Amino acid sequence: MFMTFSPVINSLSVAIAALCLSSSGYANAAVQAPAINAAPSQEDVRLYDIATAPQASRLEQDVRKLVSFGTRHTLSETQSDTQGIGAARRWIEAEFNRISKDCGGCLEVITVSDTVQGKRIANSTEVVNVIAIQRGKTDPKRVVMMSGDIDSRVTDVLDATSVSPGANDNASGVAGAIEAARVLSQYQFNGTIVYAALSGEEQGLYGGDILANYAKSQGWQVQAVLNNDMIGNIAGINGVVNNSTVRVFSEGVRFVETTDEAKERYFSGGENDSASRNLARKIKALVDQYMTNLDVMLVYRLDRFGRGGHHLPFNKAGFPAVRVMETNEHYDRQHQDIRTENGINYGDVIEGVDFDFTAKLTALNAISLASMAWAPAPPSGVSIKGQVSPSTTLNWAKTADKEVVGYRVYWRLTTVPEWTHSRYVGNVNEFMLKNMVIDNYVFGVASVAANGNVSPVVFPGAAGAFF
């Protein structure tokens, strides 16, 4: 005669047996309860899929469409359905709406505009941005953003009629934002993701300024802006051809730093640890973990020497923002009339775009946006003490975000560019690193989620604060 047992009884028996073994001191590790303060995984396997999702063929299709509008100069035609920036804006809006339809209305597609006039805009002109908002489910006011620039130009920045393909500068960035929306709209996130196509960049960074002001008016907590400006060229004017490196530029000292904050930073450090700079480090760490054949070059400078981009208006508004772009620029293909002189071809034409490379840089953005939107908000109120002491103590305000399971403390030598050491310290708001002298290291804190995602590191004080 055979007896059978229900799964419930079997499970109960195993549990009782495990308890008895444990009380006798002979329990196997497999049946012991995990430590309460065990560190969560630092890996989210979904990001591996996202890293390979952007498609070069779709990016090429979108860049070709943007090029087909002839010119996208800020002052160009706005009424035509086939030529000028107006037609380009409406096509971008339609693409975002098509993506939203495919995901059941997950994107809110709007235009954000203002009328401006300035040195490069002689007459009052409406500058229109097209943005798609993927609202977060649990923390919708916290925003991470990817942007590209709609407008293009030739040699004369006021020439609004000549053919100006702007294939790399910056149809590549706009196509990347559209493709990132296609990929990430298949997921749901805790924080909000914004995909932005900005106008007026070549005329004075107007679009970014307009959107930064809009973000403030909406009460957005902008945690990160990834400005993508030229993400398609792999052949540099110096003869270097390389499709495996990307530059990320970031401000050091915050543009909005006050006199008192500057004095504090002068004596305690932080000139290399603004929120923007730690955002850049976070991007590099994610690429190192989830991507292959792409190396991030962290450039500790706001932008290229003496030049600017659309992340600057966000920095001026106090938001963490970086510039993502190709490593090897070719200046004959930027801001040039299309022509051939002395055997040299000039102009920003589609032949200068490598779409496999654009797909890589789009993937960089996608995993960064996804990880930060799945991660909790960076901790606030981070402070540090340990003057004339053998140990260093970090304090921070515990967040109400229910996704937070704990915090991770980081440190590195002052001369090292990236975070080298970290320790999970649990769901606390203070931790002492014993026998670690404050004078010799740089410290920070990040929020940790159970899903494997970690916020950017926050350096103590105003110098490193994200919000």
Side-chain angles (χ1 to χ4, degrees), residues 17-28:
L19 181 62
C20 292
L21 284 170
S22 178
S23 62
S24 301
Y26 295 98
N28 188 293

Side-chain angles (χ1 to χ4, degrees), residues 192-225:
T192 291
I193 301 177
V194 171
Y195 313 93
L198 306 176
S199 294
E201 192 264 352
E202 302 289 3
Q203 308 311 115
L205 309 179
Y206 287 105
D209 188 56
I210 291 167
L211 187 53
N213 288 333
Y214 178 82
K216 285 188 172 183
S217 72
Q218 296 298 303
W220 289 356
Q221 290 183 311
V222 180
Q223 176 183 323
V225 178

Side-chain angles (χ1 to χ4, degrees), residues 224-355:
V225 178
L226 280 61
N227 172 46
N228 287 254
D229 195 344
M230 294 186 287
I231 59 171
N233 184 71
I234 64 171
I237 198 167
N238 58 357
V240 174
V241 179
N242 187 299
N243 68 353
S244 62
T245 63
V246 56
R247 290 181 293 180
V248 179
F249 291 85
S250 58
E251 70 172 358
V253 176
R254 297 180 310 135
F255 185 92
V256 295
E257 183 180 66
T258 67
T259 302
D260 287 343
E261 290 168 350
K263 184 177 180 180
E264 177 188 348
R265 175 184 52 77
Y266 186 80
F267 288 100
S268 62
E271 57 277 352
N272 200 27
D273 277 273
S274 66
S276 296
R277 194 139 292 174
N278 278 313
L279 168 60
R281 292 186 178 106
K282 180 63 178 178
I283 292 169
K284 185 180 189 307
L286 289 167
V287 170
D288 288 347
Q289 175 67 44
Y290 295 105
M291 296 185 67
T292 57
N293 298 320
L294 185 63
D295 294 320
V296 176
M297 178 190 296
L298 296 178
V299 184
Y300 289 164
R301 177 180 284 144
L302 171 67
D303 207 321
R304 296 141 315 149
F305 196 86
R307 304 176 72 182
H310 243 152
H311 54 305
L312 177 57
F314 294 96
N315 287 146
K316 286 183 174 181
F319 299 140
V322 299
R323 178 181 184 135
V324 178
M325 72 173 301
E326 64 210 24
T327 301
N328 301 293
E329 292 185 74
H330 202 304
Y331 308 123
D332 294 344
R333 301 172 184 172
Q334 299 174 14
H335 303 172
Q336 296 283 349
D337 294 335
I338 299 175
R339 67 194 191 278
T340 301
E341 290 181 359
N342 300 320
I344 299 174
N345 296 321
Y346 293 87
D348 188 359
V349 296
I350 201 161
E351 288 76 14
V353 180
D354 183 293
F355 294 102

